[in-house]
């Protein structure tokens, strides 16, 4: 009997903890290829790091940004760099910001979710300049999609 009571108590605790977990808040205008599961599988310990000699901060030989080394909550210019992007110049880059603490999803590009990619620069296969605005301080996962397919996630702390 004690074992039964203990099992029921543990089960109720687990259900209660799960019910208190806040769901990811997805905005209505989020592109339809972005899924809630993209946010629940983020590996938060894989922080973006500076690599190369150009001040690019990201995931070496995958994706990175020039301009993020001095993160700010005011509008900034960032230059996105992607490696392993073989499809040419007609690619579209969709950038989705996810705030860890509030579990909210935001566009961080000043002009929406998606921007065109240009050709090679700084050793990367593709690049694009943009204006970004981070809406609130904290830990951010920046999810990148090329032509509506997941590409990479960049983890940044933006507190100023």
């Amino acid at each position: 009997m004690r074992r039964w009571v203990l099992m029921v108590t543990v089960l109720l605790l687990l259900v209660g903890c799960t019910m208190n977990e806040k769901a990811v808040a997805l905005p209505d205008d989020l592109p339809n290829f972005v899924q809630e599961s993209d946010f629940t599988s983020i590996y938060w310990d894989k922080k973006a790091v500076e690599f190369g000699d150009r001040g690019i901060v990201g995931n070496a030989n995958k994706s990175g940004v020039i301009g993020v080394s001095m993160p700010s909550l005011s509008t900034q210019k960032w230059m996105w760099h992607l490696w392993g992007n073989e499809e040419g110049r007609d690619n579209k880059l969709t950038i989705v910001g996810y705030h860890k603490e509030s579990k909210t999803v935001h566009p961080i590009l000043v002009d929406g979710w998606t921007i065109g990619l240009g050709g090679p620069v700084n050793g990367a296969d593709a690049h694009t300049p943009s204006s970004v605005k981070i809406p609130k301080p904290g830990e951010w996962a920046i999810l990148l999609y090329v032509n509506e397919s997941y590409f990479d996630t960049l983890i940044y702390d933006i507190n100023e």
Side-chain angles (χ1 to χ4, degrees), residues 35-135:
Q35 302 297 310
E36 185 172 352
S37 60
D38 296 344
F39 305 103
T40 58
S41 62
I42 293 169
Y43 182 58
W44 290 99
D45 291 334
K46 187 183 177 193
K47 305 282 189 212
V49 296
E50 187 168 341
F51 61 93
D53 60 353
R54 303 233 192 270
I56 298 173
V57 179
N59 300 324
N61 300 315
K62 185 67 174 178
S63 66
V65 177
I66 292 176
V68 75
S69 60
M70 296 179 57
S72 169
L73 298 177
S74 56
T75 301
Q76 292 184 290
K77 292 214 180 262
W78 286 6
M79 175 87 73
W80 304 88
H81 295 74
L82 305 178
W83 286 262
N85 185 23
E86 306 293 331
E87 296 179 19
R89 302 187 115 207
D90 295 328
N91 290 328
K92 300 285 183 197
L93 175 64
T94 300
I95 303 168
V96 178
Y98 178 67
H99 187 251
K100 183 179 182 181
E101 183 180 343
S102 66
K103 296 187 180 194
T104 54
V105 175
H106 302 269
I108 63 164
L109 293 174
V110 171
D111 297 325
W113 297 100
T114 302
I115 193 168
L117 277 170
V121 72
N122 297 328
D125 299 318
H127 83 287
T128 190
S130 69
S131 293
V132 299
K133 173 98 169 96
I134 305 298

Side-chain angles (χ1 to χ4, degrees), residues 9-21:
T9 303
V10 169
L11 181 62
L12 289 173
L13 283 171
L14 289 173
V15 169
C17 291
T18 303
M19 291 176 65
N20 288 335
E21 232 178 77

